[in-house]
Amino acid sequence: MSRTLKCIAIDDEPMALLVIEQFCRRKGGMELSVFSEPRVGLEAIRRDKPDLVFLDIQMNSINGLEIADTLPSESCFIFTTAYAEYALEGFNLDAVDFLHKPFSYERFEVAVEKALRRMDAHRPVLPECLVVKQEYNNVSIPLSDILYVEALGNYVKIVRVSGGHVLTRTNLKAVTDMLPDGAFLRIHRSYVIAVPAVVSFTRTRVELKGHVGGLPVGAQYTAQVAEVLGR
């Protein structure tokens, strides 16, 4: 598996959770948290937004179908239950799969692979380039070549890692909206930076590779800068 799946399993039977733990370790690439108390598990799902949830149905304090109905839309879930009569209702809730206890590792693996295919199908395709207009020409700039973006009145200057810049008649918000989340960060009303280019930062300034003097951090962006760059 090329990436690590963040997973949560909810079941009021400890042995059932142990089986899922063992199967996740055998599969590899799966970071699992287990909960025998359904309501605590639901709180963890809402807080941590896992990629995949393994969910029992018939539990003492709450029915797993009720939990499934309140899951975040981005969470895939697989039902694990001894009660086959719930299968139809489970699939109506858009479950990825329905594992009837006791299930084998091979059947577990099939269900996880189905979940991976669903995640891949719904994953947004990120752009590799930013296309802007400079005078009468469309200019394509690889995202990896953007050092920072600066607002200059009615224009935006896009400073390139490879040297030079592109000047386009637009506003900073319009350019920011075209950039993928996570890779770029607004640090000031006039500046958006490439996160991988950051060398160091303080509450008032960010230093970038190849840029002398650094860029200012606006007071209203201080907390966000500390949160993103401090990870």
Side-chain angles (χ1 to χ4, degrees):
M1 195 180 296
S2 59
R3 57 195 171 89
T4 299
L5 283 184
K6 186 161 62 174
C7 307
I8 283 179
I10 302 176
D11 198 310
D12 59 0
E13 297 178 14
M15 285 303 298
L17 292 174
L18 181 61
V19 168
I20 295 174
E21 284 184 292
Q22 291 172 341
F23 286 177
C24 285
R25 281 197 298 269
R26 182 173 172 182
K27 174 70 175 170
M30 302 179 74
E31 181 183 296
L32 179 70
S33 299
V34 299
F35 297 90
S36 57
E37 173 46 57
R39 296 187 189 279
V40 177
L42 180 56
E43 289 174 10
I45 291 169
R46 290 170 174 164
R47 181 184 65 245
D48 300 334
K49 296 181 172 56
D51 301 303
L52 181 59
V53 176
F54 297 97
L55 186 58
D56 188 20
I57 293 180
Q58 192 75 341
M59 294 180 282
N60 291 329
S61 59
I62 189 172
N63 189 294
L65 297 171
E66 297 175 45
I67 295 178
D69 201 33
T70 62
L71 290 180
S73 58
E74 61 270 25
S75 291
C76 288
F77 61 97
I78 295 170
F79 281 123
T80 61
T81 181
Y83 299 90
E85 61 267 27
Y86 288 114
L88 179 59
E89 193 170 356
F91 282 119
N92 286 339
L93 287 168
D94 203 26
V96 172
D97 208 339
F98 188 99
L99 294 176
H100 187 208
K101 298 176 183 177
F103 49 87
S104 66
Y105 170 75
E106 288 72 22
R107 183 65 184 86
F108 169 87
E109 189 173 35
V110 167
V112 172
E113 290 297 330
K114 286 174 67 176
L116 286 169
R117 288 194 294 272
R118 179 179 291 191
M119 291 175 210
D120 288 340
H122 289 87
R123 184 172 291 109
V125 178
L126 298 178
E128 295 182 357
C129 295
L130 175 68
V131 179
V132 296
K133 189 174 286 295
Q134 182 170 247
E135 295 181 346
Y136 299 104
N137 299 315
N138 289 318
V139 180
S140 178
I141 310 168
L143 295 181
S144 59
D145 195 31
I146 298 175
L147 184 64
Y148 68 90
V149 185
E150 180 181 1
L152 295 171
N154 295 325
Y155 289 84
V156 165
K157 181 169 75 171
I158 302 167
V159 178
R160 307 181 71 153
V161 174
S162 58
H165 66 269
V166 173
L167 197 64
T168 181
R169 188 179 178 87
T170 185
N171 58 66
L172 191 59
K173 183 181 185 306
V175 174
T176 303
D177 287 345
M178 292 188 284
L179 297 172
D181 293 337
F184 294 87
L185 174 67
R186 189 161 187 171
I187 63 168
H188 188 278
R189 61 186 179 85
S190 298
Y191 294 101
V192 171
I193 62 167
V195 172
V198 174
V199 174
S200 63
F201 71 97
T202 66
R203 290 178 58 85
T204 60
R205 207 146 196 87
V206 172
E207 302 290 336
L208 302 177
K209 296 174 188 174
H211 182 263
V212 179
L215 297 174
V217 175
Q220 72 187 91
Y221 299 96
T222 301
Q224 185 180 2
V225 168
E227 179 185 353
V228 174
L229 299 185
R231 290 173 183 168

